Amino acid sequence: MVVLSSPSGVGKTTIANLLSQRSKNFKISISHTTRSPRINELDGKDYYFVNKDKFKALIKNNSFFEHAEVFGNLYGTTKEAVVKKLNKGVNILFDIDWQGTKQLEKQKLDYKIVTFFILPPSKEVLKERLSNRDMKDKLIVNERMSQFKSDIIHWKEYDYIVINNDLEKCYNQIKEIIVSESKGLKKNIDIENIEGKIQELIN
Ligand code: 5GP
């Protein structure tokens, strides 16, 4: 289980897509959500888009590995979507937030779990990336920027912290760590550099 979390707009979905496109052994877990689809998003590909009643029924049936409210919408990973693949030895990529990551870890499942927290190179770059999305609505950009600080404080809960300065470099770093971890080896992270970056981002 490979978890990729980050404040919104840092590029984790792009990285997850690269991992799954370039290696047959990586598949992305498709979450359920109650949020509306963005332009270009497809039901069953990007998310399973459901209404609140359907989501609540899935909670009641104990169908979720984890679920959380993010930006006022519900998001969750169903067991059905991933268990079969995990049992076949496929690496599953989870693009989920810190709340979901905590829930997955708490369950102490039989699958190895490696968690990544991805940082933007700067707040300015993040704002630019969010503004370039299909969501033209400035309110959403501002809402997600103001959420940034409360997301970023969770970085310590992750195994690895990587900075998405350059997409290919970030991809390679994550891929290398996954390969090492699959051999039972831990990679060192430059904690001083990361702490410095966090300070810079929250100030
Ligand atoms: P977005 O609406 O931009 O696609 O996603 C918003 C946030 O929800 C992102 O941080 C994303 O990682 C998180 N998210 C997406 N799917 C899930 C999920 O199944 N569970 C949890 N806990 N978070 C999710």
Side-chain angles (χ1 to χ4, degrees), residues 4-9 12-13 29-33 35-36 38 41 46-47 49 55 64 66-71 73-78 94-101 103 130 133 135 144 151:
L4 303 175
S5 294
S6 72
S8 187
K12 63 183 175 306
T13 310
S29 155
I30 303 170
S31 299
H32 281 66
T33 183
R35 101 154 150 68
S36 311
R38 293 188 191 123
E41 279 186 333
D46 299 287
Y47 281 105
F49 295 99
F55 200 98
F64 286 117
E66 63 75 34
H67 61 89
E69 186 176 327
V70 188
F71 308 120
N73 294 307
L74 300 168
Y75 295 83
T77 311
T78 54
F94 296 85
D95 172 345
I96 61 175
D97 81 329
W98 60 271
Q99 304 173 83
T101 307
Q103 290 174 39
L130 283 171
R133 279 189 170 176
M135 344 177 252
R144 295 201 167 195
D151 280 340

Side-chain angles (χ1 to χ4, degrees), residues 79-163:
K79 295 173 191 168
E80 196 191 331
V82 291
V83 162
K84 261 196 207 153
K85 290 183 194 131
L86 282 168
N87 288 341
K88 281 189 192 156
V90 175
N91 294 313
I92 302 290
L93 301 162
F94 296 85
D95 172 345
I96 61 175
D97 81 329
W98 60 271
Q99 304 173 83
T101 307
K102 265 193 179 167
Q103 290 174 39
L104 279 189
E105 286 181 321
K106 232 186 188 168
Q107 291 178 52
K108 304 235 176 294
L109 300 161
D110 284 340
Y111 314 103
K112 183 180 172 71
I113 179 163
V114 184
T115 63
F116 291 89
F117 195 76
I118 310 173
L119 297 173
S122 69
K123 264 198 287 196
E124 291 69 32
V125 170
L126 180 66
K127 190 154 191 185
E128 199 185 305
R129 286 186 190 158
L130 283 171
S131 309
N132 287 340
R133 279 189 170 176
D134 293 324
M135 344 177 252
K136 293 273 175 334
D137 189 343
K138 289 279 174 272
L139 263 181
I140 294 180
V141 175
N142 290 338
E143 181 192 65
R144 295 201 167 195
M145 280 308 288
S146 65
Q147 183 73 27
F148 175 70
K149 258 195 193 173
S150 49
D151 280 340
I152 211 170
I153 52 169
H154 293 280
W155 69 276
K156 279 196 178 161
E157 297 156 21
Y158 286 76
D159 298 324
Y160 295 98
I161 294 92
V162 290
I163 302 167

Side-chain angles (χ1 to χ4, degrees), residues 172-189:
N172 282 324
Q173 204 184 347
I174 292 175
K175 185 80 197 280
E176 267 175 34
I177 293 170
I178 297 171
V179 170
S180 295
E181 283 276 350
S182 68
K183 293 177 187 157
L185 301 171
K186 290 246 167 288
K187 281 254 182 199
N188 285 331
I189 52 168

